[in-house]
Amino acid sequence: MSKFKIIPAERLTRLPPYLFGQLNKLRQQKRRAGVDIIDLGMGNPMDGAPPTVVEKLCEAARDPRNHRYSDARGLPNLRREVAKNYKSKWGVDLDQDKEVLACVGSKEGLSHLCLAMVGPGDLIVVGDPAFPIHIHAASLAGASVVRVPLGNDQAFLDRVQYALEHLHPRPKMMILNYPHNPTAMTVDPGFFEAVVELAKRMGVFVVHDFAYGETVFDDYKAPSFLSAPGAKDVGVEFTTLSKPYNMAGWRIGFAAGNATMINALARVKGYYDYGIFQAVQIAGIIAMRECQDFVSKQAQVYQRRRDVLCDWLAKLRWEHERPRGSMFVWTKVPQEHLAGRGTMDFALALLEGAEVAIAPGAAFGKLGEGYLRIALVENELRIKQALRQIKLFLEGKPITRRRKRTTGREFAGPDME
């Protein structure tokens, strides 16, 4: 008998067990059985992209000139539109040729930036809780991650500074994310000025994930990291069309900022891909150029859903803050409802007993335990129904079974955070 054995790369051992896997498997099993699971687990927009953008995609896709390999950096007109957007929205001047790069979604860009900028022996500082890719992109690049309790104030930056001063080797990079996923935490403009000052003083560069920068409520305007004086000297920022334009599956995002870091990312991408399908890039130009009203209207949709959800959470007496941005509400579950369970087991129980999928806080780090992340992706009626079913579940009462609702989402592959 052959002793030959295929062994994956050692770097995969750096990845922890996929906590969403069990939830996704159970959800898919129930949907195949005809159960109408209300999915509030993933920030996967269910509303469509602007019709003019879809029409432009179809038009561009029919042109055989767009069927060829594209520029890995992104079309010049696309990068120009990104630079114009930064100038009009946040007052940031960008060189479209040296300081802007198109990515296959911001998640891909951030992952490849880690490959370009860090490696074995390097340390990266990340807040806890954290969006998983902020941890695992660094791990896959061979770097080690230092988790610091998350915050949005000087106390948080003091914790970061303490880590920078007392660890050897000194951490090389810090990853920030506001509005934050999963907690929906936001910052005010002065925060990034303090970040830039800290970065320059301590010799650490900054990566800011700004995926939810335009998904904001109550007249709040999320500040861009790049709007802080000197920010381009120390870091880059990632944005995306996924959330503001409901183009998550289109996979188009951007890195902007420090020219050296942008060039390093471009070098890596030059080896890995030939750029985004050109028709998608052309449609992205139309999105940014013609659909700014759509962005604000979509944010209003999420705000109404947030209000419905938060009103119900108050009735359940689940502690939470009404977020000023992102597609999520982060809520603490009372101990009497957890009944001794961790949030992973509680989320499985909700899926089984209430037929509602919600992300367990433990999936985002040690300090996420005891919390749930609820996505604002379903319409208001479905959110109300989900909370009614959770209430019945907590009271030990059966819920009314409903027929499967065919939205098209039931046939998607497993969710990946």
Side-chain angles (χ1 to χ4, degrees):
M1 184 176 178
S2 173
K3 294 183 179 180
F4 176 74
K5 187 177 181 181
I6 295 176
I7 302 175
E10 184 273 337
R11 70 177 62 89
L12 290 186
T13 63
R14 290 170 165 263
L15 298 177
Y18 182 53
L19 292 184
F20 286 102
Q22 192 176 358
L23 278 167
N24 292 339
K25 182 179 179 181
L26 179 58
R27 186 200 61 210
Q28 293 297 333
Q29 287 175 347
K30 285 187 166 292
R31 283 183 164 170
R32 282 194 294 268
V35 178
D36 179 20
I37 298 296
I38 302 177
D39 192 354
L40 305 178
M42 187 180 181
N44 193 2
M46 293 187 68
D47 307 298
T52 55
V53 175
V54 176
E55 290 166 8
K56 177 56 72 171
L57 173 70
C58 295
E59 175 190 324
R62 295 188 186 100
D63 187 340
R65 291 174 297 179
N66 294 325
H67 298 180
R68 307 179 67 195
Y69 293 131
S70 187
D71 182 349
R73 284 180 174 264
L75 294 175
N77 285 349
L78 178 69
R79 288 183 276 114
R80 181 182 300 117
E81 210 62 41
V82 173
K84 288 171 62 177
N85 254 12
Y86 260 98
K87 181 63 175 177
S88 65
K89 294 178 179 178
W90 296 290
V92 176
D93 290 308
L94 291 171
D95 183 328
Q96 69 181 57
D97 295 320
K98 297 179 180 180
E99 297 175 335
V100 180
L101 181 73
C103 308
V104 188
S106 57
K107 188 175 179 180
E108 172 271 319
L110 193 148
S111 300
H112 281 152
L113 181 68
C114 286
L115 283 178
M117 299 302 298
V118 299
D122 290 329
L123 299 181
I124 296 178
V125 175
V126 181
D128 186 0
F131 184 56
I133 197 61
H134 297 161
I135 303 294
H136 305 320
S139 297
L140 287 171
S144 298
V145 175
V146 178
R147 292 175 179 257
V148 174
L150 183 69
N152 57 357
D153 54 12
Q154 187 59 47
F156 169 65
L157 295 181
D158 290 343
R159 293 192 291 272
V160 172
Q161 178 172 326
Y162 185 88
L164 296 175
E165 290 176 338
H166 290 83
L167 291 173
H168 182 78
R170 177 173 289 180
K172 187 176 181 181
M173 181 169 82
M174 58 175 157
I175 299 178
L176 302 174
N177 169 213
Y178 302 98
H180 189 261
N181 180 7
T183 69
M185 187 179 289
T186 55
V187 296
D188 293 314
F191 177 83
F192 286 129
E193 294 180 12
V195 168
V196 171
E197 190 277 329
L198 175 64
K200 288 186 174 183
R201 177 161 43 86
M202 303 301 296
V204 60
F205 51 85
V206 179
V207 176
H208 181 231
D209 185 347
F210 201 33
Y212 298 94
E214 296 186 78
T215 307
V216 289
F217 321 127
D218 303 327
D219 297 322
Y220 169 69
K221 183 177 181 180
S224 163
F225 163 69
L226 296 180
S227 65
K232 287 195 294 182
D233 296 335
V234 298
V236 297
E237 181 167 79
F238 285 93
T239 54
T240 174
L241 301 187
S242 295
K243 307 308 188 296
Y245 300 95
N246 294 331
M247 295 170 64
W250 300 51
R251 307 316 301 134
I252 182 166
F254 311 100
N258 182 269
T260 300
M261 295 173 70
I262 294 295
N263 188 58
L265 174 56
R267 289 189 65 189
V268 169
K269 284 177 62 61
Y271 284 95
Y272 273 97
D273 68 67
Y274 287 104
I276 304 156
F277 179 34
Q278 201 151 283
V280 171
Q281 296 189 58
I282 293 169
I285 293 170
I286 297 302
M288 288 184 284
R289 184 179 295 167
E290 300 181 6
C291 301
Q292 292 310 307
D293 286 346
F294 180 93
V295 173
S296 59
K297 289 177 181 177
Q298 185 61 44
Q300 291 169 14
V301 169
Y302 286 128
Q303 179 173 324
R304 290 193 294 270
R305 294 173 183 174
R306 177 208 63 176
D307 290 341
V308 168
L309 176 58
C310 289
D311 289 346
W312 267 89
L313 291 177
K315 294 177 184 178
L316 292 176
R317 297 185 180 179
W318 286 11
E319 182 182 333
H320 65 283
E321 289 189 9
R322 197 167 293 237
R324 296 192 294 178
S326 88
M327 293 169 57
F328 308 107
V329 173
W330 183 248
T331 181
K332 189 173 185 179
V333 185
Q335 287 300 316
E336 61 265 28
H337 290 163
L338 287 175
R341 295 170 290 202
T343 50
M344 182 64 193
D345 288 336
F346 184 67
L348 284 169
L350 286 179
L351 187 54
E352 183 69 53
E355 298 178 356
V356 177
I358 295 178
F364 303 100
K366 182 179 179 181
L367 297 184
E369 184 56 82
Y371 293 82
L372 296 175
R373 189 196 69 177
I374 308 177
L376 303 171
V377 291
E378 289 277 9
N379 64 45
E380 295 163 49
L381 291 177
R382 295 274 285 174
I383 290 173
K384 289 179 181 179
Q385 182 63 32
L387 273 295
R388 279 192 289 265
Q389 290 172 203
I390 291 174
K391 184 174 184 293
L392 289 171
F393 167 76
L394 295 174
E395 294 171 349
K397 299 175 182 177
I399 67 172
T400 303
R401 303 284 170 177
R402 299 173 318 285
R403 296 181 62 187
K404 185 172 182 178
R405 175 175 177 258
T406 16
T407 63
R409 215 168 146 181
E410 291 84 347
F411 308 111
D415 287 345
M416 294 294 288
E417 282 284 355

